[in-house]
């Protein structure tokens, strides 16, 4: 969402300094939004697939070690238990209980030795859909004045206004749900987006 707000905003603002046609700006903006959504959606898919493939590779390795090196794996279980404060007198019984169930043994090693959680298989489809969709929604906000207006400069002014409001609102929302101070996150997001748009606009004017 943040990238969707920032990149098309910067593109439209930059083109506003070089052309006088809102139709051209809308065409370029829609093309950029489509390309950006596809690119970021594929990035989300590849990230989720890489996480899944890595987990499965490590899981196969743990299955192999549990099967062929049970004494080594049992010692590692004991070491982990001691790190969690399990008394030495209780460790053998807990190790025996864990090692009596091979799959649970592997799950224990994956989580507490490697620090890996089993990925949600739905992420392969949810991640690209959410990321790509958020980029599209964000991108349409700064582009909407150019769609509704015929003159570039009034559309630019309206785009700046609604984009700043959207950046501020999204930054505050993001800060609230990520444990940051909402005002600080809102100002930071707004500042970065403003810099990107201002840089693109000035470069376009300079080149034009």
């Amino acid at each position: 969402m943040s990238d969707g707000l920032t990149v098309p905003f910067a593109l439209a603002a930059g083109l506003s300094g070089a052309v006088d046609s809102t139709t051209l700006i809308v065409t370029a903006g829609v093309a950029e939004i489509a390309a950006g959504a596809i690119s970021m959606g594929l990035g989300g898919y590849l990230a989720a697939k890489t996480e899944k493939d890595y987990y499965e590779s490590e899981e196969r390795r743990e299955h192999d070690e549990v099967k062929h090196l049970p004494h080594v794996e049992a010692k590692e279980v004991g070491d982990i238990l001691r790190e969690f404060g399990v008394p030495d007198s209780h460790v053998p019984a807990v190790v025996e209980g864990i090692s009596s169930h091979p799959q649970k043994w592997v799950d224990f090693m994956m989580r507490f030795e490697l620090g890996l959680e089993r990925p949600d298989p739905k992420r392969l489809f949810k991640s690209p859909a959410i990321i790509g969709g958020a980029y599209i929604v964000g991108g349409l906000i700064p582009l909407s004045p150019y769609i509704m207006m015929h003159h570039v400069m009034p559309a630019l002014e309206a785009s700046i206004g609604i984009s700043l409001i959207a950046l501020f609102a999204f930054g505050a929302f993001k800060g609230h749900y990520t444990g940051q101070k909402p005002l600080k996150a809102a100002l930071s997001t707004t500042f970065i987006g403003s810099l990107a748009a201002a840089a693109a606009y000035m470069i376009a004017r300079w080149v034009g």
Side-chain angles (χ1 to χ4, degrees):
M1 178 71 78
S2 180
D3 289 339
L5 283 165
T6 303
V7 179
F9 179 20
L11 173 65
L15 288 174
S16 297
V19 302
D20 58 1
S21 171
T22 57
T23 301
L24 180 59
I25 293 173
V26 170
T27 301
V30 169
E32 194 287 322
I33 291 171
I38 292 170
S39 175
M40 297 195 72
L42 286 175
Y45 172 80
L46 291 174
K49 189 175 187 304
T50 298
E51 182 182 13
K52 177 177 177 291
D53 291 345
Y54 178 69
Y55 185 93
E56 291 175 349
S57 173
E58 291 297 303
E59 187 177 37
R60 287 193 296 269
R61 184 178 63 81
E62 286 295 336
H63 272 293
D64 184 69
E65 291 180 353
V66 162
K67 181 178 180 180
H68 297 102
L69 299 169
H71 58 288
V72 175
E73 293 297 288
K75 180 180 181 303
E76 290 178 351
V77 171
D79 293 340
I80 293 170
L81 292 172
R82 291 185 184 91
E83 289 179 2
F84 279 91
V86 177
D88 286 344
S89 58
H90 296 167
V91 168
V94 179
V95 171
E96 183 179 354
I98 293 173
S99 60
S100 63
H101 302 280
Q103 183 57 53
K104 291 182 179 180
W105 190 359
V106 170
D107 292 341
F108 179 90
M109 300 305 289
M110 292 293 291
R111 181 172 182 180
F112 295 104
E113 180 191 24
L114 301 178
L116 298 176
E117 296 283 348
R118 186 179 298 278
D120 182 357
K122 294 179 181 178
R123 280 195 62 204
L124 283 173
F125 306 100
K126 289 172 62 177
S127 182
I130 291 172
I131 293 173
Y135 190 91
I136 291 171
V137 172
L140 289 175
I141 293 174
L143 201 61
S144 58
Y146 296 94
I147 297 173
M148 295 183 289
M149 297 180 180
H150 298 293
H151 300 287
V152 171
M153 295 316 295
L156 172 61
E157 293 170 0
S159 179
I160 291 173
I162 65 170
S163 296
L164 288 174
I165 293 170
L167 285 166
F168 188 89
F170 174 72
F173 178 84
K174 181 177 66 173
H176 175 74
Y177 282 97
T178 57
Q180 305 176 54
K181 293 182 179 180
L183 180 59
K184 182 178 179 181
L187 291 174
S188 175
T189 303
T190 305
F191 179 70
I192 292 170
S194 300
L195 277 182
Y201 179 72
M202 294 306 295
I203 290 171
R205 284 186 64 90
W206 177 67
V207 172

